[in-house]
Amino acid sequence: MKRQVKNNVYWLGKLDWELEEFHGSDYSINHGSSQNAYLILEDKKVLIDTVWRPHTNEFIDNLEKEIALKDIDYIIINHGEVDHSGCLPYLMSKIPNTPIYCSANAVKSIVGQYHHPEWNFNVVKTGDVLPISKDKSLVFVEMKMLHWPDSMATYLTGDNILFSMDAFGQYEAVAELFNDKADKCLLMEEALKYYANILSPFSPLVKKKLEEIKKLNLEIDIIAPSHGAIWRDNPMQIVDMYAKWCDNYKEDQITVVYDTMWEGTMKLAHALAEELKEQSPTTVVKLYNISKTNKNDIMTQVFKSKAIALGSPTVSKSILSSVGGWLHFLQELSLKGKKAAVFGCYGWSGEGNKVLREELTKAGFEVIDQEEKCSWNPREENFENMKNIAKELLK
Ligand code: FEO
């Protein structure tokens, strides 16, 4: 069912209440999601993006209630990923000559996925303009690496709407559709989770892109992303948050992360969390067992932290595989300007801390010298040493 965004602009997407993961199983979804497509009914009838392929029938049914497919003048594809381009094969089988406006890289991604080089692609780049009525036009803005090389945003003059694609979105089903009606805390937390887990590797590019968009002097009344709520109340608040997040973001928070075999490393983790709180009551302290909490939710907290402490027992001259996999993901995120400490129990050889130290350094963390390498189960002196680690992390 379509819903009005502003004047002749309508949301026509899929509120995906059942969705639990994205990018295979690499991104967890806790509150559903949406794929937002938009229909502009000016002199020219424009469809901006579609939805994920499994929802094609529902999407096309809804679309045909608003417009005969043959009356669609232009299709804008801001990004070729399947959650937005998924209905193209069906649409193009019905209206094969309809022009598709997209970036040069999107032609590559769409042809690569659907194998139809004969579709009527029209490549656009930043600043290109497509008039759609006497006084309204679409202006294209390439958004390379936010988060794919093909990503693009489309700006509608007159209504001052920026269709920003994945950027500024949240993986959350927002029945209320607009940010002023939604749960504001959840909205910002989901926007942050998306940034931390998907966009943080590209933070230097995000920074440059935000500066470039600023220079375009676009008057923005609404930011309409491809997932989650549409920002119509103070839309620049999410741009301001992105400006902070892309610039080595950290809050007064320390996150303790660990896995454990026989609870020794767990006891050290708990002791460190207590010590951090004791020494700095105002610092937010979080603690997670890697095997029990979803990695994306932990990474969101790591992203907010000024420092982390990571614990694993030694296993076969290395660390637990849960911690190894988690560290691999951490390295992908390219976080900067954060401290780390390592700790863990061992029975025989005790290489765990060295491995943790090396992998955290590769992930871009400044690993402090103080550590806890605990033989068998922790004793009083091991817990006592947590005072030194906490003190150094809090410096
Ligand atoms: Fe929402 Fe990059 O797809």
Side-chain angles (χ1 to χ4, degrees), residues 51 56 94 160 255 271 361:
V51 300
T56 298
K94 297 293 173 192
N160 303 338
T255 302
T361 303

PDB file of all heavy atoms in Angstrom, residues 51 56 94 160 255 271 361:
ATOM      1  N   VAL A  51      12.102  -3.764  -4.332  1.00  0.00           N
ATOM      2  CA  VAL A  51      12.328  -4.462  -3.060  1.00  0.00           C
ATOM      3  C   VAL A  51      13.008  -5.806  -3.342  1.00  0.00           C
ATOM      4  O   VAL A  51      13.314  -6.132  -4.499  1.00  0.00           O
ATOM      5  CB  VAL A  51      11.005  -4.655  -2.269  1.00  0.00           C
ATOM      6  CG1 VAL A  51      10.364  -3.316  -1.951  1.00  0.00           C
ATOM      7  CG2 VAL A  51      10.032  -5.553  -3.020  1.00  0.00           C
ATOM      8  N   THR A  56       8.471  -9.831  -4.676  1.00  0.00           N
ATOM      9  CA  THR A  56       8.131  -9.255  -5.980  1.00  0.00           C
ATOM     10  C   THR A  56       6.619  -9.208  -6.215  1.00  0.00           C
ATOM     11  O   THR A  56       6.072  -8.164  -6.605  1.00  0.00           O
ATOM     12  CB  THR A  56       8.802 -10.070  -7.119  1.00  0.00           C
ATOM     13  OG1 THR A  56      10.218  -9.980  -6.951  1.00  0.00           O
ATOM     14  CG2 THR A  56       8.429  -9.504  -8.484  1.00  0.00           C
ATOM     15  N   LYS A  94       8.093  -7.128 -18.267  1.00  0.00           N
ATOM     16  CA  LYS A  94       6.798  -6.518 -18.623  1.00  0.00           C
ATOM     17  C   LYS A  94       6.973  -5.204 -19.384  1.00  0.00           C
ATOM     18  O   LYS A  94       6.150  -4.860 -20.230  1.00  0.00           O
ATOM     19  CB  LYS A  94       5.978  -6.248 -17.343  1.00  0.00           C
ATOM     20  CG  LYS A  94       5.623  -7.499 -16.579  1.00  0.00           C
ATOM     21  CD  LYS A  94       4.663  -8.362 -17.378  1.00  0.00           C
ATOM     22  CE  LYS A  94       4.411  -9.703 -16.737  1.00  0.00           C
ATOM     23  NZ  LYS A  94       3.726 -10.645 -17.590  1.00  0.00           N
ATOM     24  N   ASN A 160      12.637  18.933  -2.332  1.00  0.00           N
ATOM     25  CA  ASN A 160      13.851  18.881  -1.493  1.00  0.00           C
ATOM     26  C   ASN A 160      13.983  17.565  -0.735  1.00  0.00           C
ATOM     27  O   ASN A 160      14.202  17.531   0.480  1.00  0.00           O
ATOM     28  CB  ASN A 160      13.884  20.049  -0.501  1.00  0.00           C
ATOM     29  CG  ASN A 160      13.807  21.392  -1.210  1.00  0.00           C
ATOM     30  OD1 ASN A 160      14.127  21.485  -2.397  1.00  0.00           O
ATOM     31  ND2 ASN A 160      13.389  22.412  -0.505  1.00  0.00           N
ATOM     32  N   THR A 255      34.254  -1.565  26.858  1.00  0.00           N
ATOM     33  CA  THR A 255      33.530  -2.821  26.652  1.00  0.00           C
ATOM     34  C   THR A 255      34.469  -4.005  26.876  1.00  0.00           C
ATOM     35  O   THR A 255      35.562  -4.053  26.293  1.00  0.00           O
ATOM     36  CB  THR A 255      32.933  -2.854  25.228  1.00  0.00           C
ATOM     37  OG1 THR A 255      32.062  -1.716  25.087  1.00  0.00           O
ATOM     38  CG2 THR A 255      32.137  -4.120  24.991  1.00  0.00           C
ATOM     39  N   ALA A 271      35.595  -9.511  36.928  1.00  0.00           N
ATOM     40  CA  ALA A 271      36.379  -8.721  37.892  1.00  0.00           C
ATOM     41  C   ALA A 271      36.838  -7.408  37.258  1.00  0.00           C
ATOM     42  O   ALA A 271      36.815  -6.350  37.904  1.00  0.00           O
ATOM     43  CB  ALA A 271      37.587  -9.533  38.362  1.00  0.00           C
ATOM     44  N   THR A 361      46.295  -5.600  17.470  1.00  0.00           N
ATOM     45  CA  THR A 361      47.171  -4.607  16.832  1.00  0.00           C
ATOM     46  C   THR A 361      46.853  -4.530  15.346  1.00  0.00           C
ATOM     47  O   THR A 361      46.747  -3.439  14.769  1.00  0.00           O
ATOM     48  CB  THR A 361      48.658  -4.977  17.067  1.00  0.00           C
ATOM     49  OG1 THR A 361      48.872  -5.076  18.478  1.00  0.00           O
ATOM     50  CG2 THR A 361      49.588  -3.928  16.488  1.00  0.00           C
TER      51      THR A 361
END
